[in-house]
Amino acid sequence: SVQPKRGCAGARCDGKVCKILHDPDVLPPHHYVATYRYLQDVFGADVIIHVGTHGNLEFLPGKKLGLSENCLPDLCLFEAPHLYVYNSDNPSEGIIAKRRSYATLCDHLQTVQGPAAGPEEFRDLDALLAEWEKEGAAGGPRDPELARAIKNETERLKLDLMTEDPGPDFENHVHRARETIALVRGTLVQDGLHVFGEIPEGRRLARFLHSILRNDRGPDSLAAAAAAALGADLEKLAGNPDGFDDKTFANFSAILAKVEELSLEIIAVALGTEPGEPRTVVVRNVLEALGGTAKDPGALARGLEKPLKRLDGIRKRLARSREIDSLLNAMAGNHTPPGPSGLITKGREDIIPTGRNFFASDPGRLPSPAGTVRGKKLADGLIEKFLSEEGRHPENVAIFWMCNDLMWADGECLAQILALIGATPARAADGKVAGVIPVPLAELGRPRIDVTIRVSGLLRDSFPGAIDLVDGAVRAVAALNEDPESNFVRKHALERMKKSRGDPDAFRNSTRRIFCSAPGTYGAGVALAVAASAWRTEKDLADVFLLWNDRTYGEDGHGIECPGALRDCLSTVDVTFCKTASDESDLLACSGHHSAHGGLAAAAKSLRGNGVKNYYGDTRDASRVTIRTLADEMRRVAGTKLLNRNWIEGLKRHGYKGAGDISKRVSRLCGWKAATGEADDRLFDELAKTFVLDDDNREFFVENNPHALEEILRRLLEAAARGLWKAPADLSEKLKEHYLRLEGVMEELAGPGVGNRQGGAINVFVKDSLADAESDLNPAATTTLADKP
């Protein structure tokens, strides 16, 4: 059975026919509750199982914990035991399912990930760039044919889609090419989806194991052993990658790519032996397979001792995964053992075997010491980037703080927030965080940067202590007797206090920096407005964000109404920020990203003007924490994943579900474009060519999931009609032709029948028009694609 619709965010959503998905004041429609009660009272279900991460039952209105019979999840589930098949990489939302729907989780493996590009993909371009560098070193004139060849090769590889226009300076073009190659080589992409109960085999198993081990580059790691086989010292090569120029880092990334390629081959050879095989046999097989490529066989043999032992342990753990057996065992009413959760690509082999009822982390130890180091690097990198671009320090940084920061990334964003305001965690003897300590200005060496934080609903409900920690730190810093020009937290607090003279809570209200939607609600509103086409201008989306997210959270209460506080904070913002910690999740992985971070950007721009920067942090490689623009991150994710042939082919193996996942990502890119404008026209051109004009891909959608193709076409046409995408005229006409053909296909598939079907028009409603809507569609408040030039 498919979970009933909680509400509708489709093209006819006008706020009357359809209700907003997470509005706490709106009950689910009758058929929603009736479906669950039918399953128990009529069908006679002994257990209810939700499959897939995740549904919406656990997000229904009600208390956040200790549910009563008046809470909708409790009312729907009633007395039935609840089991939930869940991805082991998602503790943030899995814990909500446990807390708000009594779920026993049966977790499963994360999908196999592999390199975004094969080892030979950049061979020709690497050679051309090396020749260009050689000519430059010689000091003579550069060969124009060589420049032309480099440009042609970057276009053939579509690297130009992943960088902003380098302009006429060809050296800048070369710089961008090196930078982009390094980004692609450092990116992993999902190889299709995980099939519940299956353990990867063959080459996919080798890639799965490699994804666990690849980020460990210590002296006893597999990477170090592989580097030794190539005659390289990985630690010496890495040095201080934060200080690499583009040439040095490009060379380092090329060597690292060879190290990873060799590491993968070593794993593949080791998989040809039985677990527990004498290490000498495995090493001998590896050396034989490598032939003469091992420059120092003795060093390789010694270096493989510990990584092969670790690999052996992971294989044994993986073999104990019994996902289907675990589910059947839980259905029989037996105990499901607990287990940890998180990102397996962060070296977390303790997550396997899967089939367990996962738990999260100890919030009292966050940020961890390692997370604190990475958080400071994020803060310093952000400030340095803004300084280099604007020549001054940012006064206020708006941050989307997600729950996965605390459950995946050791609290590095929490540490970044503290570092920005000039504070550091204070630790008790047992290692737990016991508070914060302001860093003296003389030691800090820069002004204290103010912050405006939009926390996710999951973080709000799961980590109230972390919210209180940050809230207390902000108040402590604002109270310091320092020059406001050296303490922007204090500066903005004083400005707001002047506006509220006579208010006994003036100081407290002037230091509120943490915002979210109302208690019991999840989402920032913007994604729903975009999905329902319920907006006309970017300011409409800004207004939706301000309306949804004006509740404040802190030590003195959660969900406090403080009118104007969010607007005041965002009016001084210079930079908006979010980050990624793993390729298992990115800014297109969930609509919550463009809803919250995109909403922050839209609201800050609406209040402050066009001077607001949008940045993105990258801590996937802990040794090289980087900050880039949101636009650059959009290009990276779209180029290495959404438009990547390997990624697309992996999802196509899964038919209907794979097509739906591709469609969702295209819609989310459109959401980012709507909220921030930061997605190039070239990306949209390529989306149209890849998923609509490409005959093979288009036929895949038509045969497996025409509704997914309809969504892609409708969103692209909407983007063009709104002026978000300056689509070439011929391309726009082709999209319209394909849309009309697809409608005919879908009508034929539907067969004969009666009743109304939802059409493909884009009906635009904004909040000012809803009060006057007296029918399902109010023509006076409607704009369709046909109305656009």
Side-chain angles (χ1 to χ4, degrees):
S1 173
V2 176
Q3 187 174 50
K5 292 187 78 171
R6 164 69 175 93
C8 178
R12 289 174 60 89
C13 183
D14 66 355
K16 293 186 72 176
V17 177
C18 313
K19 295 299 184 180
I20 298 300
L21 202 59
H22 294 317
D23 187 334
D25 298 324
V26 176
L27 301 178
H30 170 76
H31 76 270
Y32 190 104
V33 180
T35 300
Y36 279 94
R37 296 308 291 263
Y38 168 83
L39 290 173
Q40 298 170 66
D41 300 341
V42 180
F43 177 76
D46 297 307
V47 61
I48 290 180
I49 305 172
H50 283 94
V51 179
T53 309
H54 55 82
N56 53 46
L57 175 80
E58 57 269 34
F59 296 99
L60 292 178
K63 294 189 293 182
K64 68 179 182 180
L65 72 167
L67 274 62
S68 71
E69 70 275 9
N70 296 319
C71 300
L72 267 296
D74 184 282
L75 181 66
C76 291
L77 286 170
F78 196 46
E79 296 177 343
H82 179 203
L83 306 180
Y84 217 137
V85 176
Y86 224 90
N87 196 329
S88 59
D89 75 352
N90 198 344
S92 307
E93 291 167 323
I95 298 304
I96 292 286
K98 296 176 79 166
R99 187 170 65 234
R100 300 197 80 245
S101 66
Y102 318 116
T104 294
L105 306 181
C106 294
D107 69 6
H108 63 76
L109 286 174
Q110 297 148 39
T111 192
V112 174
Q113 294 195 101
E120 301 301 317
E121 192 153 347
F122 298 120
R123 181 178 57 188
D124 292 344
L125 184 54
D126 280 334
L128 291 171
L129 291 172
E131 185 64 25
W132 180 265
E133 192 173 329
K134 183 178 177 182
E135 282 191 1
R142 274 350 200 303
D143 182 358
E145 288 300 317
L146 179 59
R148 192 171 295 110
I150 291 173
K151 192 170 188 303
N152 290 340
E153 187 65 8
T154 56
E155 290 175 356
R156 184 186 72 80
L157 294 168
K158 297 183 178 178
L159 297 184
D160 56 316
L161 294 174
M162 298 172 57
T163 180
E164 64 182 346
D165 187 351
D169 184 352
F170 195 75
E171 277 297 338
N172 196 30
H173 184 96
V174 170
H175 162 78
R176 291 286 184 178
R178 289 194 185 102
E179 189 178 62
T180 306
I181 291 172
L183 273 179
V184 175
R185 280 176 167 150
T187 299
L188 292 178
V189 300
Q190 287 82 2
D191 179 13
L193 304 170
H194 173 66
V195 177
F196 189 63
E198 287 189 5
I199 294 175
E201 296 179 346
R203 194 71 178 180
R204 294 187 82 241
L205 176 57
R207 288 201 299 272
F208 182 79
L209 296 170
H210 180 241
S211 70
I212 300 174
L213 299 174
R214 70 187 291 267
N215 282 327
D216 181 3
R217 297 176 195 157
D220 295 326
S221 66
L222 178 61
L230 296 171
D233 184 329
L234 200 59
E235 284 190 292
K236 188 178 292 185
L237 274 173
N240 179 23
D242 286 330
F244 283 6
D245 59 26
D246 70 293
K247 292 181 184 178
T248 312
F249 183 67
N251 293 334
F252 172 68
S253 72
I255 294 171
L256 197 59
K258 292 179 181 178
V259 168
E260 293 194 350
E261 182 185 355
L262 180 54
S263 299
L264 183 59
E265 290 306 314
I266 291 172
I267 292 172
V269 172
L271 290 177
T273 60
E274 293 297 321
E277 190 85 22
R279 206 69 58 228
T280 53
V281 174
V282 181
V283 170
R284 186 192 66 217
N285 291 348
V286 168
L287 291 174
E288 288 177 358
L290 296 179
T293 59
K295 294 189 176 182
D296 188 345
L300 176 62
R302 292 188 297 274
L304 284 176
E305 183 69 25
K306 289 184 178 179
L308 286 178
K309 186 176 181 181
R310 182 182 177 189
L311 183 66
D312 206 16
I314 298 173
R315 291 175 65 190
K316 290 176 181 177
R317 297 180 71 96
L318 192 58
R320 296 201 304 272
S321 289
R322 297 286 188 273
E323 294 172 359
I324 292 177
D325 289 348
S326 172
L327 183 61
L328 293 173
N329 177 66
M331 290 171 66
N334 296 321
H335 172 66
T336 303
S341 56
L343 297 175
I344 205 160
T345 53
K346 291 288 189 180
R348 292 288 307 280
E349 61 257 41
D350 59 325
I351 291 169
I352 48 181
T354 48
R356 296 186 285 183
N357 185 13
F358 69 60
F359 52 81
S361 54
D362 180 357
R365 297 185 178 276
L366 299 175
S368 71
T372 301
V373 171
R374 294 195 300 274
K376 186 176 185 306
K377 287 182 178 180
L378 284 169
D380 291 345
L382 185 153
I383 294 168
E384 288 168 11
K385 183 172 181 61
F386 189 87
L387 264 171
S388 68
E389 293 177 351
E390 297 297 313
R392 63 180 179 87
H393 287 90
E395 289 200 10
N396 189 350
V397 178
I399 295 174
F400 176 34
W401 185 19
M402 294 185 289
C403 193
N404 61 29
D405 171 62
L406 299 168
M407 292 191 176
W408 283 357
D410 300 325
E412 60 193 21
C413 188
L414 167 56
Q416 177 192 13
I417 292 167
L418 296 178
L420 284 170
I421 67 174
T424 188
R427 298 189 185 277
D430 61 358
K432 291 193 173 186
V433 175
V436 296
I437 303 171
V439 178
L441 279 174
E443 182 181 332
L444 193 61
R446 59 162 173 84
R448 302 187 192 276
I449 311 300
D450 202 356
V451 290
T452 299
I453 305 161
R454 199 285 179 179
V455 297
S456 71
L458 300 176
L459 189 149
R460 171 199 65 197
D461 292 349
S462 299
F463 294 97
I467 289 175
D468 293 348
L469 181 75
V470 171
D471 180 57
V474 168
R475 284 190 290 112
V477 166
L480 293 173
N481 186 20
E482 295 174 342
D483 179 359
E485 292 304 319
S486 296
N487 183 338
F488 296 137
V489 184
R490 180 174 177 79
K491 175 183 177 180
H492 298 148
L494 292 173
E495 290 172 351
R496 287 163 206 164
M497 287 176 69
K498 288 180 183 178
K499 292 169 57 178
S500 56
R501 285 176 180 167
D503 179 0
D505 297 321
F507 176 76
R508 179 66 189 104
N509 290 335
S510 73
T511 58
R512 296 192 186 277
R513 297 292 187 273
I514 303 173
F515 300 89
C516 191
S517 55
T521 61
Y522 301 87
V526 172
L528 293 169
V530 170
S533 301
W535 64 286
R536 285 201 181 111
T537 67
E538 193 176 284
K539 185 179 182 303
D540 291 332
L541 296 179
D543 289 343
V544 168
F545 182 83
L546 292 167
L547 180 69
W548 271 62
N549 300 282
D550 64 347
R551 298 296 185 95
T552 68
Y553 292 80
E555 288 183 314
D556 60 343
H558 284 203
I560 295 174
E561 294 186 57
C562 188
L566 178 58
R567 186 177 292 272
D568 284 344
C569 286
L570 289 176
S571 66
T572 61
V573 161
D574 290 309
V575 181
T576 73
F577 181 84
C578 195
K579 69 175 179 66
T580 187
S582 167
D583 280 318
E584 286 164 290
S585 182
D586 55 59
L587 50 72
L588 297 181
C590 174
S591 61
H593 293 271
H594 71 259
S595 193
H597 186 189
L600 274 174
K605 179 181 176 182
S606 174
L607 294 167
R608 187 75 190 272
N610 289 324
V612 178
K613 303 280 187 179
N614 299 312
Y615 290 167
Y616 220 83
D618 184 348
T619 62
R620 293 172 302 139
D621 182 347
S623 67
R624 190 172 189 265
V625 174
T626 55
I627 305 289
R628 48 181 164 269
T629 65
L630 174 63
D632 279 341
E633 178 66 4
M634 199 87 66
R635 296 183 191 105
R636 181 189 78 86
V637 173
T640 60
K641 297 185 180 182
L642 184 55
L643 295 169
N644 184 306
R645 182 181 66 254
N646 296 334
W647 182 84
I648 295 168
E649 292 301 319
L651 282 177
K652 285 169 70 174
R653 294 200 308 266
H654 300 278
Y656 180 90
K657 179 67 167 67
D661 281 10
I662 293 171
S663 174
K664 288 177 183 177
R665 282 183 169 256
V666 173
S667 295
R668 290 164 190 156
L669 184 64
C670 293
W672 277 109
K673 183 69 171 179
T676 69
E678 301 213 41
D680 297 346
D681 282 350
R682 294 174 298 166
L683 292 180
F684 282 83
D685 294 347
E686 200 64 29
L687 287 174
K689 294 173 185 175
T690 300
F691 298 118
V692 181
L693 302 190
D694 182 276
D695 293 341
D696 290 340
N697 285 338
R698 187 178 64 254
E699 285 306 310
F700 159 75
F701 281 104
V702 171
E703 292 175 9
N704 290 275
N705 189 342
H707 298 280
L709 181 57
E710 189 273 340
E711 175 75 6
I712 291 173
L713 273 161
R714 183 157 46 86
R715 291 302 175 191
L716 290 176
L717 288 170
E718 181 183 8
R722 288 181 179 276
L724 297 174
W725 166 38
K726 296 178 179 62
D730 61 332
L731 184 55
S732 181
E733 287 304 312
K734 289 178 182 177
L735 291 181
K736 291 175 183 177
E737 290 171 11
H738 281 295
Y739 191 93
L740 290 173
R741 290 197 193 103
L742 182 64
E743 279 202 326
V745 170
M746 294 173 70
E747 286 175 7
E748 290 178 9
L749 290 173
V754 294
N756 296 323
R757 296 192 182 96
Q758 180 168 302
I762 303 301
N763 304 299
V764 179
F765 291 89
V766 294
K767 64 178 184 177
D768 293 339
S769 66
L770 296 184
D772 299 325
E774 295 296 333
S775 61
D776 288 359
L777 286 176
N778 175 12
T782 303
T783 303
T784 69
L785 287 173
D787 298 321
K788 295 291 184 178

